[in-house]
Amino acid sequence: MTFLLRMGANAIAILLIAYLLPSVLSADGPMAAIAAAFVLGLVNAVIRPVFVLLTLPVTVVTLGLFLLVINGLMLWLVSAIVPGLHVSGLSGAVIGSLLISVISWILASVVP
């Protein structure tokens, strides 16, 4: 059940960012945002831990700031997989992933 709540919060966050900042992230519609949220959940559950483990030395040297780049790369991967989601480069992916994290955290804290 918590996966569905997180997926819904991520879908709302993607739609909100696509509406407010179309130069960073754009979604072709609500179904694209829901598909992107689902794929983002799967990518964060399967691929991200392996990627974090492989880049652990760089993450330690940068005092954890490289995790922002990893989150951006995961969002960029999702935009390559989902046809209706478009991200404007790596910097847009990093900014978009940071905003998605903040908005979904706020939404998840509101819903018990």
Side-chain angles (χ1 to χ4, degrees):
M1 188 65 169
T2 59
F3 179 74
L4 292 176
L5 286 175
R6 285 183 184 225
M7 189 179 80
N10 282 340
I12 291 171
I14 290 171
L15 283 174
L16 188 63
I17 294 168
Y19 179 72
L20 295 176
L21 298 170
S23 63
V24 173
L25 181 101
S26 65
D28 290 345
M31 290 306 292
I34 291 171
F38 180 73
V39 173
L40 187 64
L42 290 177
V43 164
N44 281 338
V46 177
I47 298 173
R48 186 175 181 269
V50 174
F51 204 72
V52 168
L53 186 63
L54 290 175
T55 60
L56 191 61
V58 177
T59 305
V60 170
V61 168
T62 61
L63 301 176
L65 290 177
F66 193 70
L67 290 174
L68 295 174
V69 176
I70 292 173
N71 286 339
L73 287 172
M74 296 301 112
L75 183 62
W76 206 8
L77 176 66
V78 169
S79 73
I81 295 172
V82 177
L85 185 71
H86 309 285
V87 177
S88 62
L90 183 60
S91 62
V94 171
I95 293 169
S97 69
L98 185 64
L99 291 173
I100 288 172
S101 298
V102 169
I103 293 172
S104 64
W105 173 71
I106 291 170
L107 290 175
S109 66
V110 170
V111 178

